[in-house]
Amino acid sequence: MAWGRSTHLIIALGVWLAWAAPAAAGVLIRAPSYVNLSAQARTWRLTDSNWGFISPLSQAVASELEKCRKVDPAVITPLQMSPNRLDKSSAEALSALRACRKRWFEKSTPPGAADEKLWLKIMKRPLPSPLDRAKVIAFGAAPLTPDYDRTLWDWDRGSGFTSADPDSIFSWGPYKATAGHGCTFQRVLSVLTASPVTGPMVREAFAEEGPLLDQLIDQSSPDWCARAPGILKPVFDDSERRETFRIIFAKLAGRPEIRAGYDGYFLGPDGYLGRRIARHYDLYARAGLKPTKMDFAYFLDRSLDYPPLTEAQVASLADTVRAGHMTNWQARRLIANVTPFTSPGSRSYQIGRDAVYFVDALGQEGLDETERTSWIKNSRLKASDVGLTEEPYAPPCDVVFLPGCPGAPP
């Protein structure tokens, strides 16, 4: 997305300064830890997108470990086999690198963690953004939230993963672009095909299925979205075409321009995620709170699987936050517990994901019984595991399109 030359210059300068500035002492990633229901301390894992920042870091750490003397190759192997995963084995590898290259780490960094100083030392590129970090939690925590190469035929309900849209036919990617009543699959495909940057990539990937692509994005009729079942059913019924369809999106996922365009649609002015996230920022503005990096990640995570906050909810929540002189983590906890759930069972699952964003403030024992049990069963992560903090943060307009961005409605 492009909002004008001056905006891009400001963003570019900010990125350059983030790289050129002295290394920060903050934790970048660490293997999550928790106490299970039997009061036993355990280590858990982070699973990033295949195109996230953990994979290149793991590969760089493995490369550096190979240069260290007396490092058992068995310590390096897990990083090479599952580079997008950070777990107990990864923590051991980071400890081994710290023993070998002590000056590459901040003294305050916990054992088995990677800090921002290490990233700048061995990666030599800007630190992962709050969006990069938020994706690790959001993509890894939700079983219905896949990666950029993930496709799902929702007609095949036996797959075990179905869209929240009951009319869904087919879903693609981490934000579940869906051929259903929302028509987000056809819309994002239309945007990518129309772009002079990504359009040729889409055409190349579809190749012999080009006519199908043209049918999907043909908006000449007012009911173009409703035509998806008739267009896609022949693909679903043909095993070879289904496999071709899967390969098409696997190829597209490998292109950074496609991934950026996909994100840009959903987080931009025409995508539902940007609008949902904006409602949370509106709530904070009315409540007098200054949003932080942890808030941004929470707003994204909630927006993936929840409908947008209504005007009544925003007004009521803002009044409660303001009257209670709540801090940011208290506001996140309030949103988690006040937003209606479809059933008691859904709360016992969802609250464990939401607790990721306030367990750092409370500690595991500070959670109530339902929160604690759900967090242990369904998450075991903390926002701080990916270096998210309460540092004030306003996402640039080319990351999330919010009110106040150039061209936004007044």
Side-chain angles (χ1 to χ4, degrees):
M1 295 180 289
W3 317 128
R5 185 176 179 183
S6 60
T7 302
H8 281 292
L9 288 174
I10 292 170
I11 293 167
L13 178 61
V15 170
W16 181 86
L17 288 173
W19 181 29
V27 168
L28 179 69
I29 50 170
R30 66 182 178 209
S33 60
Y34 69 102
V35 177
N36 67 16
L37 294 175
S38 300
Q40 299 170 313
R42 290 286 186 265
T43 302
W44 193 231
R45 62 178 179 267
L46 293 169
T47 304
D48 198 5
S49 162
N50 288 323
W51 295 276
F53 71 91
I54 292 181
S55 286
L57 177 65
S58 297
Q59 291 161 353
V61 169
S63 178
E64 294 297 338
L65 283 171
E66 289 175 341
K67 303 172 187 176
C68 296
R69 296 180 179 180
K70 299 181 180 180
V71 173
D72 187 342
V75 174
I76 304 173
T77 301
L79 296 178
Q80 298 169 327
M81 293 184 65
S82 301
N84 68 321
R85 173 177 168 138
L86 186 105
D87 54 17
K88 184 177 180 180
S89 296
S90 309
E92 292 172 356
L94 287 166
S95 294
L97 182 62
R98 187 169 186 167
C100 176
R101 302 283 189 264
K102 186 176 181 180
R103 294 183 179 179
W104 292 5
F105 293 77
E106 294 287 348
K107 293 181 180 179
S108 59
T109 301
D115 58 27
E116 294 175 342
K117 180 179 180 180
L118 176 66
W119 174 275
L120 293 171
K121 175 66 179 180
I122 67 175
M123 301 304 296
K124 294 182 172 56
R125 57 182 176 181
L127 289 166
S129 70
L131 179 59
D132 295 328
R133 299 173 193 239
K135 285 178 179 179
V136 178
I137 301 292
F139 291 6
L144 294 184
T145 307
D147 208 343
Y148 291 92
D149 61 345
R150 175 70 183 273
T151 55
L152 177 69
W153 287 98
D154 292 298
W155 265 325
D156 185 11
R157 301 295 174 178
S159 64
F161 297 99
T162 59
S163 170
D165 178 359
D167 297 320
S168 176
I169 302 163
F170 177 83
S171 300
W172 167 43
Y175 305 138
K176 297 185 286 293
T178 301
H181 81 269
C183 197
T184 50
F185 171 64
Q186 298 98 300
R187 293 183 192 279
V188 70
L189 204 55
S190 296
V191 170
L192 291 172
T193 306
S195 165
V197 174
T198 56
M201 300 174 189
V202 176
R203 291 288 178 187
E204 179 184 6
F206 269 80
E208 68 272 16
E209 289 287 3
L212 176 72
L213 170 65
D214 290 331
Q215 286 182 290
L216 287 169
I217 64 175
D218 179 8
Q219 302 182 34
S220 60
S221 172
D223 67 342
W224 72 285
C225 285
R227 297 200 308 267
I231 297 170
L232 291 174
K233 190 62 163 61
V235 179
F236 177 78
D237 291 338
D238 186 326
S239 60
E240 290 187 10
R241 293 187 73 189
R242 287 180 68 175
E243 177 62 11
T244 297
F245 218 50
R246 184 193 67 78
I247 293 172
I248 285 171
F249 293 99
K251 288 180 178 178
L252 289 174
R255 306 298 293 263
E257 300 90 346
I258 294 290
R259 299 193 301 274
Y262 183 100
D263 282 1
Y265 171 76
F266 282 100
L267 295 169
D270 298 320
Y272 74 92
L273 280 179
R275 294 194 296 271
R276 292 182 182 184
I277 291 170
R279 299 299 288 157
H280 289 86
Y281 277 100
D282 183 27
L283 189 165
Y284 269 47
R286 298 191 202 185
L289 287 178
K290 193 168 187 176
T292 66
K293 292 180 178 179
M294 205 173 287
D295 288 317
F296 166 72
Y298 181 56
F299 299 163
L300 171 68
D301 204 340
R302 288 284 296 192
S303 298
L304 285 171
D305 292 309
Y306 270 72
L309 294 173
T310 66
E311 172 60 28
Q313 288 172 334
V314 169
S316 176
L317 287 166
D319 287 346
T320 302
V321 170
R322 194 168 49 249
H325 304 286
M326 293 184 175
T327 61
N328 293 53
W329 73 262
Q330 290 172 323
R332 294 193 295 268
R333 192 185 194 191
L334 175 69
I335 294 169
N337 281 284
V338 169
T339 303
F341 296 87
T342 55
S343 68
S346 65
R347 179 181 186 274
S348 68
Y349 166 73
Q350 181 68 41
I351 199 67
R353 283 186 56 193
D354 289 328
V356 169
Y357 301 95
F358 50 82
V359 67
D360 282 301
L362 284 168
Q364 184 175 333
E365 291 307 311
L367 301 173
D368 69 31
E369 183 177 355
T370 301
E371 292 169 342
R372 184 167 56 253
T373 300
S374 180
W375 181 75
I376 292 171
K377 288 183 176 180
N378 302 310
S379 177
R380 308 166 193 173
L381 308 179
K382 305 180 185 73
S384 61
D385 291 335
V386 291
L388 289 166
T389 67
E390 297 287 20
E391 178 185 353
Y393 174 72
C397 290
D398 68 338
V399 173
V400 180
F401 191 86
L402 298 174
C405 288

